[in-house]
Amino acid sequence: MAHRKCWNCKVSSHQTPVQGSGSSITIGVSESGWQPRAERILHQAAFECDECLHYSIGFTESLHYGAAPPRSINEIEEASQVSWLPLQAAGKDFPDVPEHIGAAADEVHRCFSVGAYRAAGALARAVVEAAAKDKGIKKGVLEAKIDKMLEEKLVAPHVAEVAHELRHFGNDMAHGDFIDPVAEDDAEEVLSLMDEVLDNVYQSPARVRSRAERRAERKADTGS
């Protein structure tokens, strides 16, 4: 059964195969020691979203031994990993963060979701710097800005360390030091680091204020 988060309606829904749309194409040959010769087959087909009826293209690869390749739609529906076009860039909302900073942070998540890990790292660094500037810390390099945020108790000590780790990663991207590929788990860690900084600077204080306001309202209602 083929599922995806639909690029159009944004619902995680079943995708119904369009009969007759599938094709299987040989894209390479695999030979390795004791293993027999195998063809790398790309399977692709059109699918219709059960929710909004928009089409997507699903594709996957398999190794095939023998003369006739398997049916493409069956291979896609039974595969554990299926790639889809158009891509669905998955972002994240930051409701308590200033709009311009939250939009950039959302874009970091969207970059990650489509495999643009270097872009995610560079932009995550910029998000931290934008947060510092938003709090009035505008002088010096990012390292000094983070230290100043700690000094002014805008971030906790461990979050300052988090911000510095993100800074190191983002510096490599910003200064063109990215000869080696960026691993997915490294990029995913960058996302969590950025989110933690934004939570400490904006979202956690907002939650505390909200609780205090609700407590004050209840006190006013009861007259005590």
Side-chain angles (χ1 to χ4, degrees), residues 95-117:
D96 297 311
V97 175
E99 184 177 355
H100 67 290
I101 299 174
D106 168 68
E107 195 169 326
V108 172
H109 280 265
R110 291 176 181 275
C111 287
F112 174 81
S113 74
V114 297
Y117 301 143

Side-chain angles (χ1 to χ4, degrees), residues 128-139 145 149 202:
V128 172
E129 186 150 18
K133 290 180 177 179
D134 178 63
K135 292 300 182 178
I137 303 171
K138 301 180 180 181
K139 293 182 179 180
K145 289 184 175 77
M149 291 171 77
Y202 296 108

Side-chain angles (χ1 to χ4, degrees), residues 44 107 139 201 204 222:
Q44 55 190 354
E107 195 169 326
K139 293 182 179 180
V201 176
S204 180
T222 58

Side-chain angles (χ1 to χ4, degrees), residues 145-210:
K145 289 184 175 77
I146 294 171
D147 290 341
K148 187 67 173 176
M149 291 171 77
L150 175 60
E151 180 185 326
E152 296 188 3
K153 298 183 179 180
L154 294 170
V155 294
H158 76 280
V159 176
E161 293 180 14
V162 162
H164 281 303
E165 286 301 316
L166 196 157
R167 173 178 62 83
H168 289 310
F169 185 92
N171 281 349
D172 290 342
M173 304 302 105
H175 299 304
D177 297 324
F178 44 68
I179 296 174
D180 296 327
V182 177
E184 180 179 356
D185 57 348
D186 289 336
E188 189 169 17
E189 184 178 12
V190 164
L191 259 67
S192 65
L193 295 177
M194 180 194 71
D195 289 355
E196 191 165 359
V197 171
L198 293 180
D199 185 77
N200 203 217
V201 176
Y202 296 108
Q203 295 173 294
S204 180
R207 288 193 295 270
V208 172
R209 287 194 301 270
S210 178

Side-chain angles (χ1 to χ4, degrees), residues 22-101:
S23 64
S24 298
I25 304 168
T26 300
I27 57 174
V29 175
S30 174
E31 291 181 288
S32 176
W34 55 270
Q35 290 183 327
R37 183 178 184 275
E39 291 184 329
R40 286 179 56 226
I41 305 293
L42 174 69
H43 308 279
Q44 55 190 354
F47 290 79
E48 184 179 74
C49 174
D50 286 4
E51 295 292 328
C52 69
L53 307 183
H54 277 67
Y55 286 166
S56 294
I57 302 297
F59 55 98
T60 190
E61 290 185 23
S62 69
L63 290 178
H64 179 65
Y65 304 88
R71 292 180 58 200
S72 60
I73 290 179
N74 286 353
E75 286 292 313
I76 296 169
E77 289 202 294
E78 295 170 6
S80 59
Q81 289 189 328
V82 178
S83 299
W84 297 96
L85 290 174
L87 295 172
Q88 170 59 46
K92 181 176 179 178
D93 291 331
F94 294 87
D96 297 311
V97 175
E99 184 177 355
H100 67 290
I101 299 174

